[in-house]
Amino acid sequence: MHELGIAQEIVAMVSERAGGARVTRVVLQVGKLSAVLPDALRFCFDLCVEGTPVEGAGLDIIETPGLARCRACEGEVILDRPFGRCECGGTDLEWLSGEELKIKEFEVI
């Protein structure tokens, strides 16, 4: 479960940036093609925040759909898995989004 390592790193980064202030909310952007399971990340986040400035903070996850451009026709294709087919039948796709894993923002008091 790589979500545990990801959650640990998120908590460490947010704690460092918060400068000792109490964090009340963390917002993440997670792409559907990132191989990160939001429910598993939430579970791990709740374990990792104990005893940190992030303890008790809410976690909001914004899921970004996968988006690719077909190299054959230049059309855009929405993906929910790391492969797909364009309406033109093309399978040579250039990924544009969906692999993100970003800390979008966090709130402190």
Side-chain angles (χ1 to χ4, degrees):
M1 178 189 302
H2 66 281
E3 285 83 1
L4 180 58
I6 292 168
Q8 289 171 326
E9 191 63 28
I10 289 167
V11 170
M13 291 170 68
V14 169
S15 295
E16 180 182 330
R17 294 285 173 121
R22 186 169 160 259
V23 178
T24 58
R25 185 171 82 113
V26 177
V27 180
L28 303 178
Q29 181 179 1
V30 178
K32 287 221 179 235
L33 305 177
S34 67
V36 174
L37 301 174
D39 288 339
L41 184 57
R42 274 189 182 85
F43 176 79
C44 293
F45 180 84
D46 289 342
L47 294 175
C48 294
V49 297
E50 290 183 25
T52 73
V54 188
E55 187 169 8
L59 176 64
D60 296 332
I61 297 178
I62 301 166
E63 286 191 84
T64 305
L67 183 64
R69 178 176 294 118
C70 176
R71 289 190 172 105
C73 75
E74 298 294 317
E76 290 189 350
V77 180
I78 295 176
L79 302 172
D80 60 353
R81 55 187 178 262
F83 53 87
R85 181 180 302 271
C86 179
E87 290 180 5
C88 78
T91 57
D92 187 10
L93 305 176
E94 171 191 5
W95 288 5
L96 303 174
S97 68
E99 296 179 284
E100 303 84 7
L101 178 55
K102 300 178 184 177
I103 300 171
K104 292 293 286 182
E105 63 184 70
F106 61 92
E107 295 175 359
V108 297
I109 56 171

